[in-house]
Amino acid sequence: MQDTISRLRDAKMTNILRVQSAALKAIHDYMYERGVVQAMPVILSPETDPLNHPHFDASVEYYGQRLHLTKSMILHKQLSLLNGGFDKVYVMSPNVRLEEGSLGGTGRHLFEFTQVDIELKGRSKEDFMELVDGMVARVFSFVKKECEEDLAALDRKLRVPATPLKVFESEDLRDRYGDDFEARASRELEDPFWVTNFRREFYDKEDKKRRGYYHNYDVFWPEGFGEALSGGEREWEYAEIVRKMTERKTDLRGYKTYLEMARQGLIPSTVGGGMGIERMVRYLTGQKHVKDVALFPRVPGENIAF
Ligand code: ASN
C-alpha cells in the first residue's frame, strides 16, 4: 500500500499528468480540425481483436453470452465506417491484454492501457501517415509550448520532430541493423520514424501479387523508447480474411458477425492504426517505464494494489 500512496502523492505525477492533458487536448483539437469524428469506446464485445501472440483470456459470461474485454477496437473501427456520412473515425480506446509476465520489464507494456485508435475509409497508407505526422508535430509543439515548467521539472528536453517522418522498409533496417533492428534503430535515430511491412494480424493487408509483403507499418519513438503505433491497410475481402484467420489458427466461430458482414461484402476498404497514449506520455516526459506515467499501473505479471 505504501507504494500506492507514494505514487499518488508524488509531485512528479503532477508534471506528467499536465503533459498528458496537453497531449490529449492537442490530439482532440487536431482530430476535430481534420474532420475525424470521435466514437466512444466499447469495453465488452462478443468479437474482438484475436491478438496473434500468447496472452491469457479476459472474458465474462453475461446472460449466456461470452463477452471479451476489448483487446483493440480494430473490428469496431472498420464496421463504424459502414456509415456513409463520415469517412474518418477515432476512439480513445481502453485495451485489456493479459500479457505474459515476461513483458513486465520491457518498459513498454501495461496489461491495461489506452490507444488513440484511428481509421480512414477509402484512403491509402500515405494518407494515414500524413495524418499521423501532423498529429505528432501538433502534440509535440503544443506540449513544448504549454508545459515548459513541467518539462523543466522533469529535466526533459523535447525536440519537435521534423515532418514528414522518415519511412523505412523493415527489410532494409534488418539488413542494416540485424534482427534486433527495431531496438537499434529506435536508439540511433533522432526523430520518430515509420517502418513498413511486418507479418502480423489477419486484418493487415497482404499483397496479393507479392505474398509475404504486408501493407502495414509501425511508428517508433527514438532514444530507445521503441514502438509507438501500429496499423495498416486492411483486408476487407471475405476469402482473404478466412484464409488469413485459418493460417493464424484463429477460431472462426469467434467472429460470426464480422465474417458474415465480410461475406456480404460489407467491410469497407480502410487504413488506420493506433498510438499508445501511455507510451507517448512516457516518451514526452522521458520516463523509464510506462508504469511511471500511470496513476494506477497494471504491469504484466505483477499484482495490482488498487
Ligand atoms: N490499433 C491497431 C491497428 O489499428 C490494432 C492493435 O492495436 N492491435 O492496427
Side-chain angles (χ1 to χ4, degrees):
M1 193 170 88
Q2 212 46 50
D3 272 7
T4 305
I5 297 173
S6 328
R7 171 182 301 280
L8 294 173
R9 286 187 163 157
D10 191 353
K12 196 171 85 172
M13 201 44 102
T14 310
N15 305 118
I16 292 171
L17 291 181
R18 286 166 54 93
V19 168
Q20 178 169 278
S21 295
L24 292 174
K25 176 176 162 48
I27 293 173
H28 287 300
D29 287 351
Y30 179 76
M31 293 297 174
Y32 190 82
E33 286 163 26
R34 296 288 301 254
V36 188
V37 300
Q38 184 177 10
M40 296 308 277
V42 292
I43 295 179
L44 286 168
S45 328
E47 306 182 21
T48 190
D49 191 330
L51 283 192
N52 191 25
H53 66 256
H55 60 281
F56 300 97
D57 179 51
S59 63
V60 291
E61 182 133 334
Y62 183 65
Y63 283 102
Q65 194 182 16
R66 171 91 11 217
L67 299 176
H68 301 271
L69 283 132
T70 296
K71 294 180 213 174
S72 93
M73 275 182 60
I74 172 64
L75 311 179
H76 293 81
K77 284 193 300 179
Q78 286 180 286
L79 297 191
S80 73
L81 290 170
L82 267 172
N83 189 298
F86 59 91
D87 57 4
K88 297 178 239 169
V89 69
Y90 80 105
V91 195
M92 281 295 170
S93 171
N95 293 184
V96 174
R97 299 180 181 178
L98 301 185
E99 307 280 11
E100 294 186 340
S102 55
L103 295 180
T106 62
R108 291 193 312 278
H109 289 89
L110 293 173
F111 64 79
E112 198 184 306
F113 66 94
T114 298
Q115 55 174 311
V116 50
D117 221 351
I118 311 160
E119 202 72 14
L120 315 175
K121 182 163 60 182
R123 310 291 159 97
S124 66
K125 58 184 174 204
E126 288 74 23
D127 295 328
F128 182 75
M129 288 174 168
E130 185 273 326
L131 182 76
V132 169
D133 283 357
M135 180 179 84
V136 168
R138 176 73 164 264
V139 165
F140 278 62
S141 47
F142 190 68
V143 164
K144 209 172 160 153
K145 178 166 77 77
E146 288 290 306
C147 304
E148 226 182 304
E149 285 171 26
D150 299 299
L151 294 171
L154 295 164
D155 199 20
R156 181 68 171 152
K157 296 218 168 23
L158 206 58
R159 184 186 142 84
V160 178
T163 52
L165 300 178
K166 288 196 175 122
V167 184
F168 300 94
E169 281 282 325
S170 56
E171 279 316 299
D172 295 342
L173 287 185
R174 199 184 299 275
D175 289 345
R176 196 185 319 171
Y177 295 114
D179 283 345
D180 196 20
F181 68 91
E182 296 183 7
R184 287 201 47 198
S186 171
R187 281 198 298 273
E188 284 182 24
L189 297 166
E190 270 210 311
D191 276 338
F193 58 94
W194 294 88
V195 183
T196 60
N197 181 22
F198 295 93
R199 186 187 192 279
R200 248 183 340 230
E201 314 288 347
F202 77 85
Y203 46 76
D204 283 357
K205 196 169 197 58
E206 184 173 355
D207 200 309
K208 270 188 174 166
K209 296 198 197 95
R210 196 175 154 199
R211 287 300 187 205
Y213 187 88
Y214 298 88
H215 293 281
N216 61 7
Y217 37 72
D218 276 358
V219 172
F220 290 85
W221 297 123
E223 297 176 50
F225 282 78
E227 190 191 322
L229 168 147
S230 61
E233 291 180 5
R234 312 300 185 184
E235 300 291 3
W236 51 272
E237 289 173 272
Y238 179 70
E240 284 295 281
I241 292 172
V242 170
R243 177 184 71 80
K244 290 174 72 186
M245 278 186 168
T246 310
E247 210 175 81
R248 286 160 179 74
K249 302 193 172 38
T250 300
D251 187 352
L252 271 64
R253 288 171 304 182
Y255 295 91
K256 281 205 180 86
T257 301
Y258 184 80
L259 285 171
E260 180 52 25
M261 290 212 184
R263 203 186 57 77
Q264 293 183 25
L266 290 171
I267 309 270
S269 167
T270 66
V271 58
M275 179 170 277
I277 297 296
E278 291 84 351
R279 290 179 176 185
M280 180 180 74
V281 175
R282 173 189 174 221
Y283 178 66
L284 287 165
T285 57
Q287 301 303 297
K288 256 200 148 121
H289 195 289
V290 272
K291 73 178 173 193
D292 301 326
V293 307
L295 273 178
F296 303 104
R298 274 85 174 100
V299 180
E302 288 184 15
N303 277 335
I304 300 177
F306 190 69

